[in-house]
Amino acid sequence: QVQLVESGGGSVQSGASLRLSCAASGYTYSTACMAWFRQAPGKEREFVSYISSTGATRTADSVKGRFTISRDNAKHTLYLQMNSLKPEDTAMYYCAADPGLCTGDYHSLVGAFDYWGQGTQVTVSS
């Protein structure tokens, strides 16, 4: 049974940093494509970043240069380091997993991922 459990969200001021974590279990984590998505109230879920089993990454333009995705295969944990947070970063952040390989633009789509966590809330005030 696949489980993804996010943590690390919170309420911060504009310009602050947070690090999100996603603990994974129930599948071969080291070979999976892992990603972060976010969803603001009243908006569709949107891609933030993904990381392949080899460490290759893709990141949305809206957060590029501020957010960094990483993974620790030994700990079965995915991370998202978020710096210089802005009020528009306010959203529920979700961890997602696809047991297969990351594939170009396809894995920037919600439908590419089979497994999702429950989310962790990030609120940024100005």
Side-chain angles (χ1 to χ4, degrees), residues 46-121:
E46 66 173 4
F47 170 74
V48 175
S49 189
Y50 73 58
I51 185 166
S52 75
S53 58
T54 61
T57 64
R58 179 168 292 201
T59 301
D61 289 342
S62 58
V63 302
K64 197 170 290 184
R66 299 188 297 122
F67 290 12
T68 303
I69 192 170
S70 62
R71 66 192 293 166
D72 185 330
N73 288 340
K75 294 182 178 180
H76 289 201
T77 302
L78 177 73
Y79 302 100
L80 184 68
Q81 179 66 43
M82 306 187 295
N83 298 330
S84 303
L85 282 161
K86 304 175 181 180
E88 51 263 44
D89 295 319
T90 295
M92 186 73 78
Y93 283 72
Y94 297 92
C95 171
D98 176 357
L101 299 176
C102 290
T103 306
D105 291 340
Y106 176 67
H107 279 92
S108 65
L109 303 175
V110 170
F113 292 88
D114 299 319
Y115 305 107
W116 294 85
Q118 293 300 304
T120 186
Q121 178 67 37

